Amino acid sequence: MWNLWLFLVLTVGFLSWTVNSELINGDHEDLFTLVAIGKELKLLEWDENGLKNTSNYCFWPHITCSPTQSVEKLVLSHQTLQGNLTLLSELKSLKWLDLSYNTFHGSIPHSFGNLSHLEFLDLSYNKFDGSIPVELGQLKNLKSLNLSNNLLIGSIPNELQGLVKLQDLQLYTNHLNGSIPNWVGNLTNLRVFTAYENELRGKIPETLGAFSELLLLNLHSNYLQGSIPKSVFANGKLQFLVLTQNKLNGELPDSVGKCKDLSSIRIGDNDLIGNIPKEIGNLSSLTYFEADNNNLSGEIVKEFAQCSNLTLLNLASNGFSGIIPPVFGDMTNLQELIVSGNNLSGEIPASVLGNKNLNKIDLSNNRFNGSIPKNVCNSSRLQYLLLGQNSLVGEIPSEIGNCVKLLELQLGGNHLTGTIPPEIGRIKNLQIALNLSFNHLHGQLPPDLGKLDKLVSLDLSNNQLTGNIPSALKGMLSLIDVNFANNHLTGPIPTFAPFQKSPNSSFEKNTGLCGYPLNSFCGNSDGPESFHHKVSYRIVLAVIGSGLLVFLSVTIVVVLFMMREKQEKVAKTVGKEDEEIEDNNKPLVILGNVFVENLKQAIDFDAVVKATLKDSNKISSGTFSTIYKAEMPSGLTLSVKRLKSVDKTILHQQSKMIRELERLSNLCHDNLIRPIGFAIYDDVALLLHQFLPNGSLARFLHESSKEEAYKPDWPVRLSIAVGVAEGLAFLHHLAIIHLDISSGNIFLDSNFRPLVGEVEISKLLDPSRGTASISAVAGSFGYIPPEYAYTMQVTAPGNVYSFGVVLLEILTTRVPVDEEFGEGVDLVKWVQGAPTRGETPEQILDAKLSTVSFSWRKEMLSALKVALLCTDTTPAKRPKMKKVVEMLQEIITESK
Ligand SMILES: *[C@@H]1O[C@H](CO)[C@@H](O)[C@H](O)[C@H]1NC(C)=O
Ligand SMILES: *[C@@H]1O[C@H](CO)[C@@H](O)[C@H](O)[C@H]1NC(C)=O
Ligand SMILES: *[C@@H]1O[C@H](CO)[C@@H](O)[C@H](O)[C@H]1NC(C)=O
Ligand SMILES: *[C@@H]1O[C@H](CO)[C@@H](O)[C@H](O)[C@H]1NC(C)=O
Ligand SMILES: *[C@@H]1O[C@H](CO)[C@@H](O)[C@H](O)[C@H]1NC(C)=O
Ligand SMILES: *[C@@H]1O[C@H](CO)[C@@H](O)[C@H](O)[C@H]1NC(C)=O
Ligand SMILES: *[C@@H]1O[C@H](CO)[C@@H](O)[C@H](O)[C@H]1NC(C)=O
Ligand SMILES: *[C@@H]1O[C@H](CO)[C@@H](O)[C@H](O)[C@H]1NC(C)=O
Ligand SMILES: *[C@@H]1O[C@H](CO)[C@@H](O)[C@H](O)[C@H]1NC(C)=O
């Protein structure tokens, strides 16, 4: 008994002694380190807390301590921090270190190799450069290493093979080169491995996944060669496989059939050969299968039909032959079937058209024959029916009119006969294109085509159509591209802006068409005229023509504005309806993606859609879009941009848009908002962004100033101006012109760093192409440079002007258009008119700022000079954006 008692006393005593000494020790060491780190990283929160509550740093924000009071977890993500991180390695007990989403640069500190207890290290979304330090290989306890989205170079160091406990290795979006080391295949705990968007070459290790339960492998957009190793499927646990855009060859292994949970296979844009294994039918979870742009061949295996969850099947641009298996009609979840650019033949599979969820069927560029089935739109969801460049025969069935949801109808390049069924006019949603060219269609153009008031592109060329162009076609208000060439049409070309704006090649090679844009004048003259007549006609035409052009330009702008308003009204009423039906009839998201791997789980598309149906979630409304706040069930808050209806042309080419968005999501600049994903339903596109709680610059300048919290802070405003200028200079450097610069499109993060938004609109509506330049002319009222009114072309100097207006807003705290300025006077004219009104520049500037100090006033006057240069009436006199950045930065350095 005594012995036992004594033993207990001694043990307990010993334990408490150890705990106490560690407590004291840990206390002091970590405290000093933390105070020093706080200073280095300028973490004000720690300074304040440090002063108030010196002893107990375990209560400071971002810190979690062990029971023995040593710092175990440090989470400093999303803080826009920078500075020297070397000191962090003094926090010896650290198990969890998260520094993601900051602006740390330079190399990753070698001293991190000293953090021997570290299990989780996340340095992603920073600007670390240099190579991966070999010292990280000493972190024997590391389970998760994330270095993604940095500027790292060099190869993956061999020393990392010491990380035997590694489960997650994420290296995507860097500039890593060399090959993927073979030892990655020896990591027995590896579950997640991503290294996409690097410059990796060589083969995928033969044993990758063989010894571990690999769940996710994403290596897209590298230069990987060789075949897809069997080992990847060996464990049968794989869920996601993304190898798109490499140089992989060889066949897709049969063993793929082992992976019951595999839901996504994306192996497009490679050099794969051979057949798709029948075992694909064993993948009961398969949802996406994308293998376009390879050299796959053989028949399309009927076993796909066993994958009852298959939603997207894309086999475009390969060497497949044979027919589309009729059992594909059983795939009730199939939404997109894309097999264009193969050697497929046989009839259009009527059974597949019966799939009620089918949204897109693309059979173009094959050898399909037979006629278009009458049941073509029993599945009324169909939005894309693309059958061009085949050998289809027979007539276009009048049942085509049942396809009321169609956005695009491509039937060109076939052997279709008969007339154009007037029922086509019932497809009121048709907007992207109606293409019936290169067939044998005859008869007259049905006036019902005029009901297609959303249609952008109409191609009826190269048929045997006869009669007049009905003037009812003027109902096609959205028309931009039109082609009637090479038919037997006669009579005058109706006076309708989209017709006269077209090149004459759109009307040529017809028997008897006349009028502008053709050179044949619609007189009552018959027979050939004398040369003199022709010349005078031409002169008259040129004179009329130039007058007409001016008139047309004005009309188009007016029409566009009217259309925009009309469509906005429609959009509003539609929005209301949506709200009413919200719960029982939620729109179905047909396509969506999150580019940011780690946010994939946190984003729920249904919740995204739902948020945009509630007016109370609306944050702001710009020229091209409305922005909503969306709370995800996961707790994440997003900003969701709903594109306005006038921009449905964006949906024109979904795949192009998606590619652009993905590219933009990699377009990395501190002062640009990057898209993190998108969702598409019906004809609505939603773009997802990080939520910025401080709102827009417009709100900061014009709303918060009314509140009491208004703090006159010129340096913050100047740094905002520099940031915006840098963002725009970066865009211009990449030849991207912004379409809608305004203070409402500039957002502020928690540190008042400005982020320019609406960049993707600029990229998607490529202004170098005719379509965009016209609709983009509008911009936001007050920011539109004067020359846009007659050039109708968006330009870089135009952007400089709009930036100048933003700078004037910052300097004057006034809105760009204000009744106070007087009739027809906007902010620019008001500022320019100051001298004639006998006012000094100081009377223009916001006095709350300019009277604070002499140096603030001096800086503001210098900035005013820059703003005046930017808003010069002559575009050529405005400085380049890069020069603007320099001039503004000079103001900052001069005052230091
Ligand atoms: C200071 O630390 C104590 C624990 O030691 C904690 O209860 C208290 O809330 C902290 N005070 C402040 C102001 O953070
Ligand atoms: C960071 O600080 C350490 C000393 O704490 C120093 O050795 C190192 O050179 C610094 N790194 C940089 C990039 O300044
Ligand atoms: C920490 O790491 C550095 C660089 O790897 C090394 O020189 C130093 O000795 C280490 N310090 C300790 C205390 O282990
Ligand atoms: C980095 O990767 C780890 C492991 O996969 C993950 O838990 C973490 O969320 C990632 N961090 C970011 C910012 O995506
Ligand atoms: C990898 O990149 C580094 C730095 O850019 C370069 O020095 C090296 O030669 C490259 N290695 C290979 C194998 O391309
Ligand atoms: C992988 O492990 C096996 C045996 O465990 C060993 O023979 C082989 O050398 C290892 N490969 C690499 C690249 O480390
Ligand atoms: C996998 O598919 C093959 C070929 O379709 C079939 O013979 C086999 O029974 C399937 N295996 C399993 C486990 O379902
Ligand atoms: C098909 O998808 C649904 C919904 O995602 C899921 O519940 C179901 O388990 C899937 N079916 C198979 C066979 O995986
Ligand atoms: C595609 O594969 C076929 C054989 O299946 C081969 O003859 C052809 O050269 C390949 N084409 C390319 C571009 O690799």
Side-chain angles (χ1 to χ4, degrees):
M1 278 304 269
W2 268 106
N3 279 351
L4 183 61
W5 187 81
L6 193 64
F7 173 76
L8 276 175
V9 168
L10 281 177
T11 325
V12 171
F14 176 75
L15 278 177
S16 62
W17 180 80
T18 342
V19 167
N20 275 329
S21 81
E22 260 199 41
L23 199 146
I24 293 161
N25 247 331
D27 223 22
H28 285 274
E29 279 184 16
D30 282 357
L31 176 63
F32 292 136
T33 311
L34 289 171
V35 169
I37 292 171
K39 277 224 177 73
E40 169 65 32
L41 305 186
K42 304 198 175 60
L43 257 178
L44 297 178
E45 291 165 291
W46 282 5
D47 272 4
E48 288 164 13
N49 282 281
L51 292 174
K52 270 189 255 155
N53 229 355
T54 18
S55 54
N56 208 337
Y57 52 80
C58 291
F59 290 83
W60 296 3
H62 313 299
I63 291 175
T64 309
C65 285
S66 69
T68 58
Q69 311 280 305
S70 48
V71 179
E72 224 174 50
K73 187 167 173 179
L74 190 54
V75 177
L76 288 170
S77 56
H78 293 280
Q79 304 286 320
T80 36
L81 298 173
Q82 49 188 38
N84 188 331
L85 288 166
T86 304
L87 269 176
L88 286 183
S89 58
E90 304 284 322
L91 299 171
K92 290 275 180 277
S93 309
L94 218 49
K95 287 187 176 163
W96 186 288
L97 178 57
D98 182 355
L99 301 174
S100 60
Y101 290 102
N102 283 293
T103 47
F104 291 115
H105 48 83
S107 12
I108 297 173
H110 297 221
S111 64
F112 280 5
N114 293 358
L115 292 167
S116 56
H117 295 286
L118 212 55
E119 292 173 11
F120 180 97
L121 178 59
D122 190 349
L123 305 179
S124 62
Y125 295 89
N126 278 290
K127 299 193 165 169
F128 286 113
D129 53 27
S131 46
I132 301 175
V134 297
E135 287 82 358
L136 293 188
Q138 300 163 20
L139 302 174
K140 301 280 182 246
N141 289 304
L142 207 59
K143 290 184 184 155
S144 174
L145 176 62
N146 194 341
L147 306 177
S148 309
N149 233 295
N150 280 293
L151 304 167
L152 298 170
I153 58 165
S155 54
I156 303 172
N158 271 327
E159 284 76 4
L160 292 192
Q161 66 186 300
L163 307 180
V164 290
K165 294 190 180 166
L166 211 55
Q167 295 177 352
D168 287 22
L169 177 57
Q170 304 232 52
L171 303 173
Y172 61 84
T173 318
N174 277 294
H175 303 295
L176 298 173
N177 64 8
S179 57
I180 300 173
N182 283 329
W183 52 258
V184 176
N186 273 8
L187 295 172
T188 53
N189 296 298
L190 195 66
R191 291 156 1 118
V192 172
F193 179 42
T194 64
Y196 57 83
E197 291 173 345
N198 277 292
E199 289 150 31
L200 298 169
R201 290 168 194 276
K203 294 184 170 184
I204 302 175
E206 295 282 313
T207 57
L208 183 60
F211 307 119
S212 71
E213 296 195 346
L214 197 62
L215 302 180
L216 188 155
L217 178 64
N218 189 341
L219 303 174
H220 79 75
S221 305
N222 279 292
Y223 306 103
L224 297 170
Q225 289 170 332
S227 52
I228 304 173
K230 287 192 175 57
S231 59
V232 168
F233 310 106
N235 244 289
K237 300 285 188 207
L238 198 66
Q239 295 175 1
F240 296 93
L241 176 68
V242 187
L243 301 173
T244 318
Q245 272 209 44
N246 278 291
K247 294 167 186 271
L248 296 170
N249 48 37
E251 305 192 5
L252 180 63
D254 308 346
S255 50
V256 66
K258 283 189 180 176
C259 302
K260 293 270 174 289
D261 299 324
L262 193 51
S263 67
S264 216
I265 300 183
R266 300 191 144 158
I267 49 176
D269 288 296
N270 278 293
D271 300 323
L272 299 171
I273 55 164
N275 302 340
I276 291 179
K278 289 189 171 17
E279 285 75 7
I280 204 83
N282 292 2
L283 303 184
S284 48
S285 306
L286 195 64
T287 310
Y288 289 94
F289 188 91
E290 220 176 57
D292 55 314
N293 288 295
N294 277 294
N295 196 8
L296 297 166
S297 56
E299 301 206 332
I300 297 180
V301 292
K302 63 177 191 305
E303 280 76 7
F304 271 118
Q306 295 164 26
C307 309
S308 57
N309 270 1
L310 195 62
T311 306
L312 177 140
L313 180 59
N314 185 349
L315 303 174
S317 303
N318 277 290
F320 290 109
S321 53
I323 60 164
I324 293 182
V327 286
F328 275 21
D330 298 346
M331 286 194 270
T332 51
N333 284 306
L334 194 65
Q335 292 179 12
E336 298 200 8
L337 176 63
I338 304 169
V339 295
S340 56
N342 282 290
N343 293 315
L344 297 166
S345 53
E347 306 230 336
I348 294 172
S351 65
V352 176
L353 289 170
N355 284 353
K356 73 172 189 330
N357 283 313
L358 198 66
N359 173 268
K360 176 171 186 172
I361 182 162
D362 185 355
L363 310 182
S364 45
N365 264 303
N366 277 291
R367 291 186 285 152
F368 287 103
N369 44 37
S371 52
I372 300 172
K374 287 207 189 327
N375 75 342
V376 57
C377 275
N378 285 1
S379 148
S380 59
R381 262 177 205 274
L382 204 60
Q383 294 191 318
Y384 298 87
L385 180 58
L386 313 178
L387 307 176
Q389 280 72 46
N390 277 293
S391 307
L392 300 176
V393 294
E395 304 197 356
I396 301 173
S398 61
E399 285 81 358
I400 197 86
N402 296 337
C403 301
V404 290
K405 296 236 164 169
L406 273 191
L407 300 175
E408 182 171 6
L409 177 59
Q410 295 280 357
L411 302 177
N414 281 291
H415 311 305
L416 297 171
T417 50
T419 57
I420 299 176
E423 286 81 2
I424 282 190
R426 288 178 47 207
I427 315 179
K428 294 279 288 176
N429 271 318
L430 208 56
Q431 34 188 293
I432 297 172
L434 170 59
N435 185 349
L436 308 178
S437 65
F438 291 96
N439 277 294
H440 310 299
L441 300 171
H442 61 83
Q444 309 220 341
L445 296 179
D448 302 68
L449 288 178
K451 294 180 188 158
L452 303 175
D453 59 355
K454 296 180 185 169
L455 191 65
V456 171
S457 166
L458 173 69
D459 191 349
L460 304 177
S461 66
N462 297 284
N463 279 290
Q464 283 117 43
L465 299 167
T466 52
N468 290 340
I469 298 179
S471 63
L473 262 51
K474 293 188 199 173
M476 306 174 92
L477 290 175
S478 308
L479 211 54
I480 290 175
D481 268 338
V482 66
N483 198 348
F484 294 105
N486 211 355
N487 277 292
H488 307 309
L489 298 169
T490 52
I493 297 170
T495 310
F496 179 41
F499 290 173
Q500 271 77 38
K501 260 182 66 76
S502 298
N504 54 13
S505 59
S506 294
F507 295 93
E508 68 187 7
K509 296 193 188 148
N510 273 291
T511 339
L513 279 183
C514 62
Y516 201 77
L518 289 178
N519 288 331
S520 62
F521 190 70
C522 292
N524 43 8
S525 61
D526 36 12
E529 301 114 22
S530 74
F531 178 69
H532 274 293
H533 268 113
K534 262 192 186 157
V535 169
S536 55
Y537 276 147
R538 284 224 178 121
I539 293 170
V540 171
L541 257 179
V543 172
I544 295 177
S546 59
L548 193 67
L549 259 181
V550 171
F551 169 71
L552 274 179
S553 319
V554 175
T555 329
I556 290 169
V557 171
V558 171
V559 167
L560 273 165
F561 267 108
M562 280 165 42
M563 269 169 54
R564 189 191 300 278
E565 273 197 13
K566 193 177 116 199
Q567 290 186 341
E568 266 170 27
K569 271 186 207 140
V570 172
K572 267 179 207 153
T573 48
V574 167
K576 275 198 194 113
E577 275 168 26
D578 280 356
E579 228 173 297
E580 280 157 21
I581 57 171
E582 180 197 329
D583 273 313
N584 38 18
N585 193 2
K586 219 167 14 144
L588 179 80
V589 172
I590 54 167
L591 202 57
N593 194 10
V594 175
F595 311 127
V596 184
E597 204 61 45
N598 65 303
L599 290 179
K600 282 209 157 99
Q601 296 297 325
I603 292 176
D604 174 42
F605 288 130
D606 284 339
V608 168
V609 171
K610 237 176 168 175
T612 62
L613 300 179
K614 286 222 181 70
D615 262 359
S616 56
N617 288 329
K618 197 186 277 181
I619 301 174
S620 70
S621 201
T623 311
F624 297 108
S625 62
T626 307
I627 299 176
Y628 298 86
K629 178 179 175 178
E631 307 261 10
M632 296 294 100
S634 62
L636 181 74
T637 306
L638 289 176
S639 145
V640 178
K641 179 186 301 180
R642 184 188 160 121
L643 299 186
K644 287 209 171 141
S645 48
V646 75
D647 298 297
K648 278 179 194 145
T649 41
I650 291 178
L651 295 173
H652 205 109
Q653 285 215 307
Q654 256 179 27
S655 55
K656 181 176 168 239
M657 158 179 153
I658 292 162
R659 240 177 293 131
E660 281 303 349
L661 282 175
E662 266 175 33
R663 213 167 287 156
L664 278 171
S665 73
N666 293 325
L667 196 147
C668 212
H669 191 276
D670 277 353
N671 299 109
L672 299 178
I673 295 187
R674 297 194 316 173
I676 58 180
F678 68 90
I680 294 175
Y681 69 90
D682 293 345
D683 51 5
V684 176
L686 302 175
L687 309 184
L688 316 183
H689 298 101
Q690 163 195 358
F691 177 71
L692 294 164
N694 267 0
S696 67
L697 176 61
R699 209 185 92 184
F700 172 71
L701 290 177
H702 308 308
E703 286 172 41
S704 65
S705 61
K706 289 178 195 128
E707 294 161 16
E708 283 179 13
Y710 177 70
K711 269 194 279 179
D713 195 348
W714 165 246
V716 169
R717 290 194 184 198
L718 183 55
S719 78
I720 290 174
V722 174
V724 175
E726 282 178 338
L728 292 174
F730 180 75
L731 282 183
H732 287 184
H733 178 67
L734 299 176
I736 301 173
I737 312 291
H738 199 289
L739 297 190
D740 191 13
I741 298 170
S742 75
S743 56
N745 278 337
I746 296 164
F747 298 88
L748 301 175
D749 78 359
S750 50
N751 293 327
F752 296 101
R753 173 169 61 115
L755 289 115
V756 180
E758 299 274 9
V759 177
E760 56 281 315
I761 309 286
S762 311
K763 199 72 214 298
L764 297 177
L765 280 174
D766 180 356
S768 63
R769 293 180 45 211
T771 41
S773 57
I774 302 171
S775 51
V777 161
S780 289
F781 198 42
Y783 297 90
I784 309 169
E787 72 272 14
Y788 280 14
Y790 53 91
T791 61
M792 306 231 290
Q793 197 64 45
V794 190
T795 59
N799 274 190
V800 175
Y801 180 95
S802 306
F803 171 79
V805 179
V806 172
L807 187 52
L808 286 177
E809 266 181 279
I810 290 176
L811 286 162
T812 61
T813 324
R814 285 174 179 273
V815 289
V817 184
D818 193 336
E819 280 177 8
E820 271 182 39
F821 300 146
E823 180 89 24
V825 179
D826 58 16
L827 179 57
V828 174
K829 291 205 187 106
W830 180 74
V831 172
Q832 286 170 343
T836 40
R837 292 195 305 274
E839 291 170 3
T840 59
E842 285 94 328
Q843 283 170 278
I844 303 284
L845 302 173
D846 184 346
K848 282 203 218 70
L849 299 167
S850 61
T851 55
V852 169
S853 77
F854 186 73
S855 70
W856 282 19
R857 180 169 155 275
K858 195 170 143 231
E859 287 178 23
M860 288 177 76
L861 286 172
S862 309
L864 181 62
K865 266 190 209 149
V866 177
L868 286 171
L869 285 175
C870 292
T871 52
D872 196 298
T873 325
T874 314
K877 286 195 189 158
R878 297 175 201 148
K880 297 247 180 339
M881 216 58 234
K882 195 165 154 252
K883 179 78 189 159
V884 175
V885 173
E886 282 167 19
M887 290 190 289
L888 291 175
Q889 272 167 345
E890 218 164 275
I891 299 177
I892 296 178
T893 45
E894 267 176 14
S895 65
K896 273 191 180 152

